[in-house]
Amino acid sequence: MKDLNANAGKFTDPRTTADGSPRATVALERAETLWFNTGSLCNITCANCYMESSPSNDALVYITAAEVSEYLDQIDSRGWAVREIGFTGGEPFMNPDMIASARAALSRGYEVLILTNAMRPMMRPGMQAGLAALIDEFGARLTLRISLDHWSEDMHDAERGHGAFARTLEGMAWLRERGARMAVAGRTTWDETDAQSRAGYAALYARHGFDIDAHDPAMTVLFPEMDETVEVPEITTDCWNILGKRPGDVMCASSRMVVKRKGADRPAVLACTLLPYAPEFELGETLAEAERDVALNHPHCAKFCVLGGASCSG
């Protein structure tokens, strides 16, 4: 049984940990990636989705292409050295403005990364036509990172539902035929080593002719599970030296995410892509407000970013 109080007393004060030590913080050292959450709606309900995305969760509503463009303008005005614009969800291709939003970013010279399950929303004729045009026009500056939780059908479908694996491979085959640049996001939930996982993905890619490097961590990203009921240590300022890491290694040193909450007049900027519902990680409505330091005051900060060393970007 999961212990819902595993971290009781921890992660409550942004300044200090439970034992009174100074909590680690991270400055925005270099703004390399700006993420947009396109909305929390998804065509499927996964067994363990950190976003709680589903066909009925509209807590984060569709962001519009006009709102995306407004933040692209802010990148220019703030002088952020952003190289990549990322789109995540939910399922981004549920958003009717997905193609227009991607085009807005690509047209300004950014690399664009879209996280997708490559299932029915992406395969609708209108989305296919728009996506094909983007691939033809912008080539390798557009990457589709496909959610493929495991290299085996049984394991993937255990997370995403019967038939999900086959439908995702169908979408990937369509992208392959269009010449799209693809990457994959998997999980490390299963009892296998990193090498075993990558060997499984490599064999899958070879069978289907997918030009994806299974051994490149930026092209086949294996994310640790994010379970808030598991006890994790808090990160103090001393941890950097103990762990041999630096604040600049953590994702919030180089990225921010824009979301639009249901009922809100304007989008908001968050410190982290992994914590869309945590109010303490909302930094304001503008990129200027989002330039402040971030306190590592959540279990995900420790397990996923500092100890797990994960990053949503390539």
Side-chain angles (χ1 to χ4, degrees), residues 132-147:
L134 292 180
I135 294 166
D136 289 343
E137 187 172 349
F138 298 102
R141 283 206 287 115
L142 172 64
T143 300
L144 287 297
R145 182 188 288 168
I146 316 302
S147 297

PDB file of all heavy atoms in Angstrom, residues 132-147:
ATOM      1  N   ALA A 132       2.110  17.964 -42.160  1.00  0.00           N
ATOM      2  CA  ALA A 132       2.902  17.650 -43.353  1.00  0.00           C
ATOM      3  C   ALA A 132       3.499  18.917 -43.951  1.00  0.00           C
ATOM      4  O   ALA A 132       4.664  18.932 -44.381  1.00  0.00           O
ATOM      5  CB  ALA A 132       2.035  16.929 -44.381  1.00  0.00           C
ATOM      6  N   ALA A 133       2.734  19.989 -43.963  1.00  0.00           N
ATOM      7  CA  ALA A 133       3.241  21.256 -44.495  1.00  0.00           C
ATOM      8  C   ALA A 133       4.386  21.787 -43.641  1.00  0.00           C
ATOM      9  O   ALA A 133       5.388  22.300 -44.168  1.00  0.00           O
ATOM     10  CB  ALA A 133       2.113  22.279 -44.571  1.00  0.00           C
ATOM     11  N   LEU A 134       4.272  21.669 -42.314  1.00  0.00           N
ATOM     12  CA  LEU A 134       5.345  22.123 -41.440  1.00  0.00           C
ATOM     13  C   LEU A 134       6.613  21.298 -41.656  1.00  0.00           C
ATOM     14  O   LEU A 134       7.722  21.836 -41.679  1.00  0.00           O
ATOM     15  CB  LEU A 134       4.908  22.026 -39.971  1.00  0.00           C
ATOM     16  CG  LEU A 134       3.798  22.965 -39.493  1.00  0.00           C
ATOM     17  CD1 LEU A 134       3.508  22.715 -38.016  1.00  0.00           C
ATOM     18  CD2 LEU A 134       4.157  24.424 -39.719  1.00  0.00           C
ATOM     19  N   ILE A 135       6.444  19.977 -41.794  1.00  0.00           N
ATOM     20  CA  ILE A 135       7.601  19.100 -42.014  1.00  0.00           C
ATOM     21  C   ILE A 135       8.292  19.458 -43.322  1.00  0.00           C
ATOM     22  O   ILE A 135       9.519  19.563 -43.400  1.00  0.00           O
ATOM     23  CB  ILE A 135       7.158  17.626 -42.010  1.00  0.00           C
ATOM     24  CG1 ILE A 135       6.644  17.227 -40.619  1.00  0.00           C
ATOM     25  CG2 ILE A 135       8.303  16.712 -42.432  1.00  0.00           C
ATOM     26  CD1 ILE A 135       5.878  15.919 -40.594  1.00  0.00           C
ATOM     27  N   ASP A 136       7.502  19.673 -44.359  1.00  0.00           N
ATOM     28  CA  ASP A 136       8.072  20.011 -45.663  1.00  0.00           C
ATOM     29  C   ASP A 136       8.801  21.357 -45.639  1.00  0.00           C
ATOM     30  O   ASP A 136       9.859  21.518 -46.256  1.00  0.00           O
ATOM     31  CB  ASP A 136       6.972  20.050 -46.726  1.00  0.00           C
ATOM     32  CG  ASP A 136       6.424  18.660 -47.062  1.00  0.00           C
ATOM     33  OD1 ASP A 136       7.094  17.663 -46.721  1.00  0.00           O
ATOM     34  OD2 ASP A 136       5.326  18.590 -47.643  1.00  0.00           O
ATOM     35  N   GLU A 137       8.229  22.305 -44.915  1.00  0.00           N
ATOM     36  CA  GLU A 137       8.781  23.657 -44.923  1.00  0.00           C
ATOM     37  C   GLU A 137       9.951  23.839 -43.970  1.00  0.00           C
ATOM     38  O   GLU A 137      10.912  24.547 -44.288  1.00  0.00           O
ATOM     39  CB  GLU A 137       7.675  24.668 -44.573  1.00  0.00           C
ATOM     40  CG  GLU A 137       8.100  26.111 -44.719  1.00  0.00           C
ATOM     41  CD  GLU A 137       6.938  27.087 -44.561  1.00  0.00           C
ATOM     42  OE1 GLU A 137       5.775  26.638 -44.552  1.00  0.00           O
ATOM     43  OE2 GLU A 137       7.209  28.303 -44.442  1.00  0.00           O
ATOM     44  N   PHE A 138       9.888  23.192 -42.801  1.00  0.00           N
ATOM     45  CA  PHE A 138      10.880  23.479 -41.763  1.00  0.00           C
ATOM     46  C   PHE A 138      11.798  22.302 -41.439  1.00  0.00           C
ATOM     47  O   PHE A 138      12.776  22.471 -40.703  1.00  0.00           O
ATOM     48  CB  PHE A 138      10.175  23.958 -40.490  1.00  0.00           C
ATOM     49  CG  PHE A 138       9.411  25.230 -40.683  1.00  0.00           C
ATOM     50  CD1 PHE A 138       8.027  25.218 -40.833  1.00  0.00           C
ATOM     51  CD2 PHE A 138      10.066  26.454 -40.751  1.00  0.00           C
ATOM     52  CE1 PHE A 138       7.315  26.392 -41.017  1.00  0.00           C
ATOM     53  CE2 PHE A 138       9.364  27.630 -40.941  1.00  0.00           C
ATOM     54  CZ  PHE A 138       7.984  27.603 -41.087  1.00  0.00           C
ATOM     55  N   GLY A 139      11.509  21.128 -41.944  1.00  0.00           N
ATOM     56  CA  GLY A 139      12.410  19.990 -41.827  1.00  0.00           C
ATOM     57  C   GLY A 139      12.800  19.649 -40.409  1.00  0.00           C
ATOM     58  O   GLY A 139      11.976  19.537 -39.509  1.00  0.00           O
ATOM     59  N   ALA A 140      14.120  19.513 -40.190  1.00  0.00           N
ATOM     60  CA  ALA A 140      14.641  19.010 -38.927  1.00  0.00           C
ATOM     61  C   ALA A 140      14.527  20.000 -37.778  1.00  0.00           C
ATOM     62  O   ALA A 140      14.837  19.651 -36.634  1.00  0.00           O
ATOM     63  CB  ALA A 140      16.103  18.602 -39.099  1.00  0.00           C
ATOM     64  N   ARG A 141      14.086  21.233 -38.052  1.00  0.00           N
ATOM     65  CA  ARG A 141      13.861  22.158 -36.930  1.00  0.00           C
ATOM     66  C   ARG A 141      12.604  21.795 -36.148  1.00  0.00           C
ATOM     67  O   ARG A 141      12.374  22.319 -35.062  1.00  0.00           O
ATOM     68  CB  ARG A 141      13.780  23.604 -37.424  1.00  0.00           C
ATOM     69  CG  ARG A 141      15.146  24.175 -37.748  1.00  0.00           C
ATOM     70  CD  ARG A 141      15.202  25.678 -37.619  1.00  0.00           C
ATOM     71  NE  ARG A 141      14.515  26.348 -38.703  1.00  0.00           N
ATOM     72  CZ  ARG A 141      13.418  27.093 -38.570  1.00  0.00           C
ATOM     73  NH1 ARG A 141      12.858  27.243 -37.386  1.00  0.00           N
ATOM     74  NH2 ARG A 141      12.867  27.659 -39.618  1.00  0.00           N
ATOM     75  N   LEU A 142      11.797  20.886 -36.681  1.00  0.00           N
ATOM     76  CA  LEU A 142      10.604  20.391 -35.992  1.00  0.00           C
ATOM     77  C   LEU A 142      10.836  18.942 -35.582  1.00  0.00           C
ATOM     78  O   LEU A 142      11.158  18.096 -36.414  1.00  0.00           O
ATOM     79  CB  LEU A 142       9.382  20.475 -36.912  1.00  0.00           C
ATOM     80  CG  LEU A 142       8.100  19.805 -36.397  1.00  0.00           C
ATOM     81  CD1 LEU A 142       7.593  20.501 -35.138  1.00  0.00           C
ATOM     82  CD2 LEU A 142       7.028  19.813 -37.484  1.00  0.00           C
ATOM     83  N   THR A 143      10.688  18.665 -34.283  1.00  0.00           N
ATOM     84  CA  THR A 143      10.824  17.307 -33.769  1.00  0.00           C
ATOM     85  C   THR A 143       9.532  16.894 -33.085  1.00  0.00           C
ATOM     86  O   THR A 143       8.967  17.664 -32.291  1.00  0.00           O
ATOM     87  CB  THR A 143      11.981  17.203 -32.762  1.00  0.00           C
ATOM     88  OG1 THR A 143      13.202  17.574 -33.400  1.00  0.00           O
ATOM     89  CG2 THR A 143      12.110  15.783 -32.213  1.00  0.00           C
ATOM     90  N   LEU A 144       9.069  15.689 -33.389  1.00  0.00           N
ATOM     91  CA  LEU A 144       7.920  15.099 -32.700  1.00  0.00           C
ATOM     92  C   LEU A 144       8.462  14.065 -31.727  1.00  0.00           C
ATOM     93  O   LEU A 144       9.092  13.088 -32.146  1.00  0.00           O
ATOM     94  CB  LEU A 144       6.965  14.422 -33.683  1.00  0.00           C
ATOM     95  CG  LEU A 144       6.080  15.271 -34.607  1.00  0.00           C
ATOM     96  CD1 LEU A 144       5.113  16.105 -33.802  1.00  0.00           C
ATOM     97  CD2 LEU A 144       6.884  16.108 -35.575  1.00  0.00           C
ATOM     98  N   ARG A 145       8.271  14.309 -30.419  1.00  0.00           N
ATOM     99  CA  ARG A 145       8.695  13.318 -29.436  1.00  0.00           C
ATOM    100  C   ARG A 145       7.483  12.472 -29.056  1.00  0.00           C
ATOM    101  O   ARG A 145       6.514  12.970 -28.478  1.00  0.00           O
ATOM    102  CB  ARG A 145       9.302  13.955 -28.201  1.00  0.00           C
ATOM    103  CG  ARG A 145       9.802  12.900 -27.192  1.00  0.00           C
ATOM    104  CD  ARG A 145      10.236  13.510 -25.889  1.00  0.00           C
ATOM    105  NE  ARG A 145      11.501  14.225 -26.049  1.00  0.00           N
ATOM    106  CZ  ARG A 145      11.986  15.045 -25.119  1.00  0.00           C
ATOM    107  NH1 ARG A 145      11.316  15.266 -24.009  1.00  0.00           N
ATOM    108  NH2 ARG A 145      13.140  15.651 -25.324  1.00  0.00           N
ATOM    109  N   ILE A 146       7.567  11.193 -29.390  1.00  0.00           N
ATOM    110  CA  ILE A 146       6.437  10.293 -29.251  1.00  0.00           C
ATOM    111  C   ILE A 146       6.476   9.607 -27.887  1.00  0.00           C
ATOM    112  O   ILE A 146       7.513   9.073 -27.472  1.00  0.00           O
ATOM    113  CB  ILE A 146       6.455   9.216 -30.358  1.00  0.00           C
ATOM    114  CG1 ILE A 146       6.772   9.845 -31.727  1.00  0.00           C
ATOM    115  CG2 ILE A 146       5.134   8.464 -30.386  1.00  0.00           C
ATOM    116  CD1 ILE A 146       5.829  10.914 -32.181  1.00  0.00           C
ATOM    117  N   SER A 147       5.334   9.594 -27.213  1.00  0.00           N
ATOM    118  CA  SER A 147       5.227   8.893 -25.937  1.00  0.00           C
ATOM    119  C   SER A 147       5.075   7.405 -26.207  1.00  0.00           C
ATOM    120  O   SER A 147       4.025   6.938 -26.643  1.00  0.00           O
ATOM    121  CB  SER A 147       4.016   9.407 -25.147  1.00  0.00           C
ATOM    122  OG  SER A 147       4.174  10.773 -24.834  1.00  0.00           O
TER     123      SER A 147
END
